[in-house]
Amino acid sequence: MRKTLLLLGATAGIAALSAFATGPATREQTADEQVKHVLNRLAFGPRPGDYDRVRAMGIERWIDQQLRPDNIDDRATEQFVAAHFPASQMSAADLMAKYPIVNAAQVAARRAAQGNGQLTRDDSMQFMQTARRNYQFVAQLLAERVARAQLTNRQLDEVMTDFWLNHFNVYAAKGQPERYFLADYETRVIRPRALGKFRDLLGAVAKSPAMLFYLDNWQSMHDSTRPALASDARRGAAGGFRRNPGFGRRPGALGGAIGAGGMSDPRRDSLMQAVAARRPKGLNENYGRELLELHTLGVDGGYTQQDVIDAARALTGWTIDRPRQDAQFIFRAQMHDAGEKTVLGHHLAGGRGVEDGEELLDIVARDPHTARFIATKLVRRFVSDTAPRALVDRAAAVFTKTDGDMREVVRSIVTSDEFFAHAAYKAKVKSPFELVVSALRAVNAEPDTTPRTAQIVARLGAPIYGHQAPNGYPETGDAWINTGSILNRINFGLALAGGRVPGVSVDGWPDAARLTSAPRDSQVDAVIRAFLRGEASPDTRKILMSGVNPLAASAAKVDSLGIPVAEVDDGDEMMSSKRQPQEKGARRMGMLPGDPLGRGKPQLRGLSQIVGLALGAPEFQRR
């Protein structure tokens, strides 16, 4: 089995990067390779005709166009999303009105108040029905992510949105309120700022209900040994209780409405108070720690445990207003630790309010460690798993010089000699999300308006909004490559070509009609040109000609999506213990229900079989 895995060459690109040290003086990739490269790195793979369009336009012009997404007409994508995924455009308030939160404790309390005693069978049925309805809008959010990535003409902007959603990871199954915040988080926080200034993005994330709830900062407050900031209306009027307008009914620039005093209204805050009542009061370090370790400076960013504590103290009082209505950021003075603080050598004077958190974000956003940490992650995403040091240095310098202008940082990376080096070509392994979307684009599929394609992404190991830890999914290929995961990828290709993915038919591929009755070798040649851009090893061509992949032929059982899977040994991390928490959370959120692709291994012949095997080939698995 291991020998077969190596034969398939799925990790060859990763191993080749170990010798990658410094960038070349000139571009090493051929003109043809450069076009393929940008379509696989700066987009989610080519659609039929994309290769010729980009080559005719020129890659420099295409890259510049993609770096300016507002100038790209994408009305068709927006119209499709609005028509089929309305939940993705709704505010938390509208979602809660349409899909109300109902839990057993609330029903029991209402029964007790009415003197009706214990819960009835009807109560239980109502609770279950409400829970099922609530999963409907979550399913829309997951399906929208896949469909938008498949459809949009603003491909680089979507790649960067995917990058930031993973960098600033939140977990849908954190608790009931979290899922109501996801649409705003993606639509109004991350997506509009994906190629903007890092400090603006960092501030919007810090004030987002999704992040405040996920990392528990909404309940973080001064402890009994620290002075609290007095809450008075005059301070509120001066700006002490600012909301994030990205979560109001009128999206726009940072600034926005002023809170009217900062005192909690029990009727408005009943949900959060009920949750908070079950948790200890006082300082919560979760967000302060992840802000430094994962969002800005990096694990080697030179901060101390005391920096973490003082960062968390600076962010006390940053919480959520009206969580059951429009769920906006609000600063509550009575929760804030007003004592003096020192973060990374910067002194924060005592007696201040929301200014503490704003200055903290300024400090970490402009720290040299942050410039290097973000540059390293972007180089790893776009160039290679072992990020070339010289390119990281240059990208970090651009970050610092432009005050974190992500458009210019990305430009410095994707126009570099290292980006166009031989060692970078086909060296990255596609994540499950990238694999599924690139396959859909390759066959010119109709976008799926059901949650089934998103469920396939989850089955391949990366449920959307399903990573429990704040570090997000790995950016390196070794996390996705093992016997079981490769087999699942091979059989995903066969399932897709067999018509088991909604919206997909090999007949939709423009060349299908003329090839249906062609000889097998002509079909294989055409599929290699179209899906593998003419690059297939002798072993891959042999598999396409024979119609048998030796690894897929060894499958012993079928998973819940109808995809055959391998018996997995304890060394296959993604298919054993390390994958279980992701799968458990995904099931709880309804990400892996039922059996949408049907049972049994698809029996394919002719052109569909060749296309399915090509999508499972190592040449397609790499980007």
mmCIF file of all heavy atoms in Angstrom, residues 511-540:
data_model
loop_
_atom_site.group_PDB
_atom_site.id
_atom_site.type_symbol
_atom_site.label_atom_id
_atom_site.label_comp_id
_atom_site.label_asym_id
_atom_site.label_seq_id
_atom_site.Cartn_x
_atom_site.Cartn_y
_atom_site.Cartn_z
ATOM 1 N N ASP A 511 -15.977 19.395 -24.394
ATOM 2 C CA ASP A 511 -15.435 18.437 -25.362
ATOM 3 C C ASP A 511 -16.105 17.067 -25.296
ATOM 4 O O ASP A 511 -15.749 16.162 -26.062
ATOM 5 C CB ASP A 511 -13.927 18.253 -25.120
ATOM 6 C CG ASP A 511 -13.136 19.497 -25.463
ATOM 7 O OD1 ASP A 511 -13.662 20.335 -26.219
ATOM 8 O OD2 ASP A 511 -12.009 19.643 -24.956
ATOM 9 N N ALA A 512 -17.069 16.914 -24.391
ATOM 10 C CA ALA A 512 -17.639 15.580 -24.168
ATOM 11 C C ALA A 512 -18.337 15.026 -25.406
ATOM 12 O O ALA A 512 -18.177 13.846 -25.746
ATOM 13 C CB ALA A 512 -18.596 15.616 -22.984
ATOM 14 N N ALA A 513 -19.119 15.854 -26.069
ATOM 15 C CA ALA A 513 -19.936 15.368 -27.190
ATOM 16 C C ALA A 513 -19.077 14.748 -28.292
ATOM 17 O O ALA A 513 -19.369 13.663 -28.793
ATOM 18 C CB ALA A 513 -20.783 16.503 -27.756
ATOM 19 N N ARG A 514 -17.981 15.406 -28.637
ATOM 20 C CA ARG A 514 -17.163 14.892 -29.746
ATOM 21 C C ARG A 514 -16.312 13.700 -29.337
ATOM 22 O O ARG A 514 -15.803 12.978 -30.197
ATOM 23 C CB ARG A 514 -16.280 16.000 -30.306
ATOM 24 C CG ARG A 514 -15.175 16.474 -29.371
ATOM 25 C CD ARG A 514 -14.273 17.507 -30.033
ATOM 26 N NE ARG A 514 -13.196 17.952 -29.150
ATOM 27 C CZ ARG A 514 -12.051 17.277 -28.993
ATOM 28 N NH1 ARG A 514 -11.847 16.145 -29.665
ATOM 29 N NH2 ARG A 514 -11.122 17.732 -28.167
ATOM 30 N N LEU A 515 -16.131 13.491 -28.031
ATOM 31 C CA LEU A 515 -15.257 12.411 -27.573
ATOM 32 C C LEU A 515 -15.998 11.140 -27.179
ATOM 33 O O LEU A 515 -15.371 10.096 -26.984
ATOM 34 C CB LEU A 515 -14.433 12.883 -26.362
ATOM 35 C CG LEU A 515 -13.342 13.915 -26.651
ATOM 36 C CD1 LEU A 515 -12.785 14.462 -25.346
ATOM 37 C CD2 LEU A 515 -12.232 13.294 -27.492
ATOM 38 N N THR A 516 -17.312 11.207 -27.039
ATOM 39 C CA THR A 516 -18.074 10.072 -26.517
ATOM 40 C C THR A 516 -17.809 8.780 -27.288
ATOM 41 O O THR A 516 -17.645 7.704 -26.698
ATOM 42 C CB THR A 516 -19.580 10.383 -26.536
ATOM 43 O OG1 THR A 516 -19.817 11.531 -25.719
ATOM 44 C CG2 THR A 516 -20.371 9.200 -25.996
ATOM 45 N N SER A 517 -17.748 8.861 -28.593
ATOM 46 C CA SER A 517 -17.553 7.656 -29.405
ATOM 47 C C SER A 517 -16.128 7.523 -29.946
ATOM 48 O O SER A 517 -15.869 6.668 -30.801
ATOM 49 C CB SER A 517 -18.541 7.658 -30.577
ATOM 50 O OG SER A 517 -18.386 8.835 -31.360
ATOM 51 N N ALA A 518 -15.198 8.344 -29.439
ATOM 52 C CA ALA A 518 -13.812 8.290 -29.913
ATOM 53 C C ALA A 518 -13.097 7.074 -29.325
ATOM 54 O O ALA A 518 -13.515 6.511 -28.304
ATOM 55 C CB ALA A 518 -13.077 9.573 -29.517
ATOM 56 N N PRO A 519 -11.997 6.630 -29.927
ATOM 57 C CA PRO A 519 -11.216 5.514 -29.356
ATOM 58 C C PRO A 519 -10.691 5.876 -27.967
ATOM 59 O O PRO A 519 -10.499 7.045 -27.637
ATOM 60 C CB PRO A 519 -10.067 5.344 -30.363
ATOM 61 C CG PRO A 519 -10.551 5.981 -31.625
ATOM 62 C CD PRO A 519 -11.459 7.089 -31.218
ATOM 63 N N ARG A 520 -10.411 4.836 -27.171
ATOM 64 C CA ARG A 520 -9.981 5.051 -25.790
ATOM 65 C C ARG A 520 -8.724 5.914 -25.720
ATOM 66 O O ARG A 520 -8.650 6.820 -24.885
ATOM 67 C CB ARG A 520 -9.704 3.691 -25.128
ATOM 68 C CG ARG A 520 -9.233 3.757 -23.678
ATOM 69 C CD ARG A 520 -10.373 3.817 -22.724
ATOM 70 N NE ARG A 520 -9.950 3.835 -21.324
ATOM 71 C CZ ARG A 520 -10.789 3.709 -20.305
ATOM 72 N NH1 ARG A 520 -12.087 3.550 -20.512
ATOM 73 N NH2 ARG A 520 -10.346 3.746 -19.062
ATOM 74 N N ASP A 521 -7.752 5.668 -26.547
ATOM 75 C CA ASP A 521 -6.512 6.448 -26.461
ATOM 76 C C ASP A 521 -6.747 7.912 -26.801
ATOM 77 O O ASP A 521 -6.132 8.808 -26.207
ATOM 78 C CB ASP A 521 -5.420 5.845 -27.334
ATOM 79 C CG ASP A 521 -5.802 5.779 -28.807
ATOM 80 O OD1 ASP A 521 -7.005 5.928 -29.119
ATOM 81 O OD2 ASP A 521 -4.897 5.563 -29.630
ATOM 82 N N SER A 522 -7.661 8.191 -27.724
ATOM 83 C CA SER A 522 -7.989 9.588 -28.042
ATOM 84 C C SER A 522 -8.694 10.257 -26.872
ATOM 85 O O SER A 522 -8.449 11.436 -26.576
ATOM 86 C CB SER A 522 -8.870 9.654 -29.290
ATOM 87 O OG SER A 522 -8.189 9.133 -30.419
ATOM 88 N N GLN A 523 -9.578 9.509 -26.215
ATOM 89 C CA GLN A 523 -10.246 10.053 -25.034
ATOM 90 C C GLN A 523 -9.234 10.362 -23.932
ATOM 91 O O GLN A 523 -9.294 11.419 -23.298
ATOM 92 C CB GLN A 523 -11.293 9.055 -24.521
ATOM 93 C CG GLN A 523 -12.480 8.866 -25.452
ATOM 94 C CD GLN A 523 -13.451 7.816 -24.900
ATOM 95 O OE1 GLN A 523 -13.045 6.885 -24.195
ATOM 96 N NE2 GLN A 523 -14.726 7.968 -25.239
ATOM 97 N N VAL A 524 -8.313 9.449 -23.696
ATOM 98 C CA VAL A 524 -7.300 9.656 -22.663
ATOM 99 C C VAL A 524 -6.457 10.883 -22.979
ATOM 100 O O VAL A 524 -6.193 11.724 -22.103
ATOM 101 C CB VAL A 524 -6.415 8.396 -22.521
ATOM 102 C CG1 VAL A 524 -5.172 8.706 -21.677
ATOM 103 C CG2 VAL A 524 -7.212 7.258 -21.907
ATOM 104 N N ASP A 525 -6.018 11.016 -24.231
ATOM 105 C CA ASP A 525 -5.208 12.174 -24.616
ATOM 106 C C ASP A 525 -5.967 13.472 -24.380
ATOM 107 O O ASP A 525 -5.406 14.456 -23.869
ATOM 108 C CB ASP A 525 -4.808 12.077 -26.089
ATOM 109 C CG ASP A 525 -3.787 10.974 -26.354
ATOM 110 O OD1 ASP A 525 -3.122 10.544 -25.386
ATOM 111 O OD2 ASP A 525 -3.675 10.539 -27.514
ATOM 112 N N ALA A 526 -7.239 13.495 -24.731
ATOM 113 C CA ALA A 526 -8.043 14.713 -24.579
ATOM 114 C C ALA A 526 -8.253 15.051 -23.101
ATOM 115 O O ALA A 526 -8.207 16.229 -22.709
ATOM 116 C CB ALA A 526 -9.391 14.547 -25.277
ATOM 117 N N VAL A 527 -8.503 14.045 -22.286
ATOM 118 C CA VAL A 527 -8.699 14.277 -20.851
ATOM 119 C C VAL A 527 -7.410 14.779 -20.207
ATOM 120 O O VAL A 527 -7.433 15.687 -19.364
ATOM 121 C CB VAL A 527 -9.207 12.990 -20.161
ATOM 122 C CG1 VAL A 527 -9.116 13.112 -18.641
ATOM 123 C CG2 VAL A 527 -10.636 12.702 -20.584
ATOM 124 N N ILE A 528 -6.283 14.221 -20.588
ATOM 125 C CA ILE A 528 -4.997 14.680 -20.043
ATOM 126 C C ILE A 528 -4.749 16.130 -20.424
ATOM 127 O O ILE A 528 -4.296 16.942 -19.606
ATOM 128 C CB ILE A 528 -3.847 13.771 -20.529
ATOM 129 C CG1 ILE A 528 -3.946 12.396 -19.849
ATOM 130 C CG2 ILE A 528 -2.497 14.409 -20.242
ATOM 131 C CD1 ILE A 528 -2.950 11.386 -20.365
ATOM 132 N N ARG A 529 -5.076 16.498 -21.682
ATOM 133 C CA ARG A 529 -4.892 17.897 -22.098
ATOM 134 C C ARG A 529 -5.811 18.831 -21.312
ATOM 135 O O ARG A 529 -5.389 19.898 -20.869
ATOM 136 C CB ARG A 529 -5.173 18.032 -23.603
ATOM 137 C CG ARG A 529 -4.057 17.547 -24.514
ATOM 138 C CD ARG A 529 -4.263 18.057 -25.939
ATOM 139 N NE ARG A 529 -5.552 17.629 -26.487
ATOM 140 C CZ ARG A 529 -5.737 16.485 -27.141
ATOM 141 N NH1 ARG A 529 -4.730 15.640 -27.316
ATOM 142 N NH2 ARG A 529 -6.935 16.187 -27.610
ATOM 143 N N ALA A 530 -7.053 18.434 -21.140
ATOM 144 C CA ALA A 530 -8.041 19.325 -20.535
ATOM 145 C C ALA A 530 -7.914 19.420 -19.020
ATOM 146 O O ALA A 530 -7.977 20.522 -18.452
ATOM 147 C CB ALA A 530 -9.447 18.858 -20.911
ATOM 148 N N PHE A 531 -7.759 18.302 -18.344
ATOM 149 C CA PHE A 531 -7.815 18.294 -16.880
ATOM 150 C C PHE A 531 -6.438 18.297 -16.219
ATOM 151 O O PHE A 531 -6.302 18.767 -15.087
ATOM 152 C CB PHE A 531 -8.613 17.086 -16.398
ATOM 153 C CG PHE A 531 -10.059 17.145 -16.772
ATOM 154 C CD1 PHE A 531 -10.526 16.519 -17.920
ATOM 155 C CD2 PHE A 531 -10.969 17.842 -15.999
ATOM 156 C CE1 PHE A 531 -11.853 16.580 -18.296
ATOM 157 C CE2 PHE A 531 -12.296 17.915 -16.352
ATOM 158 C CZ PHE A 531 -12.752 17.291 -17.503
ATOM 159 N N LEU A 532 -5.445 17.784 -16.908
ATOM 160 C CA LEU A 532 -4.089 17.741 -16.346
ATOM 161 C C LEU A 532 -3.145 18.638 -17.125
ATOM 162 O O LEU A 532 -1.936 18.602 -16.892
ATOM 163 C CB LEU A 532 -3.569 16.290 -16.342
ATOM 164 C CG LEU A 532 -4.491 15.250 -15.686
ATOM 165 C CD1 LEU A 532 -3.841 13.872 -15.724
ATOM 166 C CD2 LEU A 532 -4.839 15.646 -14.256
ATOM 167 N N ARG A 533 -3.699 19.447 -18.041
ATOM 168 C CA ARG A 533 -2.938 20.391 -18.849
ATOM 169 C C ARG A 533 -1.751 19.729 -19.539
ATOM 170 O O ARG A 533 -0.654 20.274 -19.643
ATOM 171 C CB ARG A 533 -2.461 21.585 -18.021
ATOM 172 C CG ARG A 533 -3.558 22.412 -17.402
ATOM 173 C CD ARG A 533 -4.671 22.806 -18.330
ATOM 174 N NE ARG A 533 -4.218 23.411 -19.585
ATOM 175 C CZ ARG A 533 -5.040 23.745 -20.575
ATOM 176 N NH1 ARG A 533 -6.344 23.516 -20.468
ATOM 177 N NH2 ARG A 533 -4.563 24.304 -21.667
ATOM 178 N N GLY A 534 -1.990 18.497 -20.005
ATOM 179 C CA GLY A 534 -0.976 17.793 -20.782
ATOM 180 C C GLY A 534 0.122 17.158 -19.971
ATOM 181 O O GLY A 534 1.088 16.636 -20.539
ATOM 182 N N GLU A 535 0.003 17.178 -18.651
ATOM 183 C CA GLU A 535 1.056 16.657 -17.782
ATOM 184 C C GLU A 535 0.574 15.408 -17.055
ATOM 185 O O GLU A 535 -0.195 15.487 -16.093
ATOM 186 C CB GLU A 535 1.477 17.725 -16.768
ATOM 187 C CG GLU A 535 2.021 18.973 -17.427
ATOM 188 C CD GLU A 535 2.257 20.105 -16.447
ATOM 189 O OE1 GLU A 535 1.695 20.061 -15.330
ATOM 190 O OE2 GLU A 535 2.983 21.042 -16.800
ATOM 191 N N ALA A 536 1.000 14.259 -17.524
ATOM 192 C CA ALA A 536 0.629 12.984 -16.906
ATOM 193 C C ALA A 536 1.822 12.050 -16.941
ATOM 194 O O ALA A 536 2.472 11.886 -17.984
ATOM 195 C CB ALA A 536 -0.558 12.351 -17.641
ATOM 196 N N SER A 537 2.108 11.448 -15.808
ATOM 197 C CA SER A 537 3.196 10.479 -15.744
ATOM 198 C C SER A 537 2.807 9.216 -16.503
ATOM 199 O O SER A 537 1.618 8.979 -16.763
ATOM 200 C CB SER A 537 3.483 10.126 -14.292
ATOM 201 O OG SER A 537 2.396 9.376 -13.753
ATOM 202 N N PRO A 538 3.772 8.375 -16.861
ATOM 203 C CA PRO A 538 3.435 7.100 -17.507
ATOM 204 C C PRO A 538 2.477 6.255 -16.654
ATOM 205 O O PRO A 538 1.603 5.573 -17.201
ATOM 206 C CB PRO A 538 4.794 6.420 -17.678
ATOM 207 C CG PRO A 538 5.775 7.545 -17.755
ATOM 208 C CD PRO A 538 5.242 8.594 -16.824
ATOM 209 N N ASP A 539 2.650 6.295 -15.338
ATOM 210 C CA ASP A 539 1.762 5.521 -14.467
ATOM 211 C C ASP A 539 0.328 6.040 -14.527
ATOM 212 O O ASP A 539 -0.630 5.266 -14.555
ATOM 213 C CB ASP A 539 2.266 5.568 -13.021
ATOM 214 C CG ASP A 539 3.573 4.822 -12.856
ATOM 215 O OD1 ASP A 539 3.671 3.683 -13.325
ATOM 216 O OD2 ASP A 539 4.505 5.396 -12.268
ATOM 217 N N THR A 540 0.172 7.378 -14.540
ATOM 218 C CA THR A 540 -1.179 7.952 -14.632
ATOM 219 C C THR A 540 -1.819 7.600 -15.964
ATOM 220 O O THR A 540 -2.997 7.210 -16.012
ATOM 221 C CB THR A 540 -1.114 9.483 -14.455
ATOM 222 O OG1 THR A 540 -0.701 9.783 -13.119
ATOM 223 C CG2 THR A 540 -2.473 10.117 -14.701
#
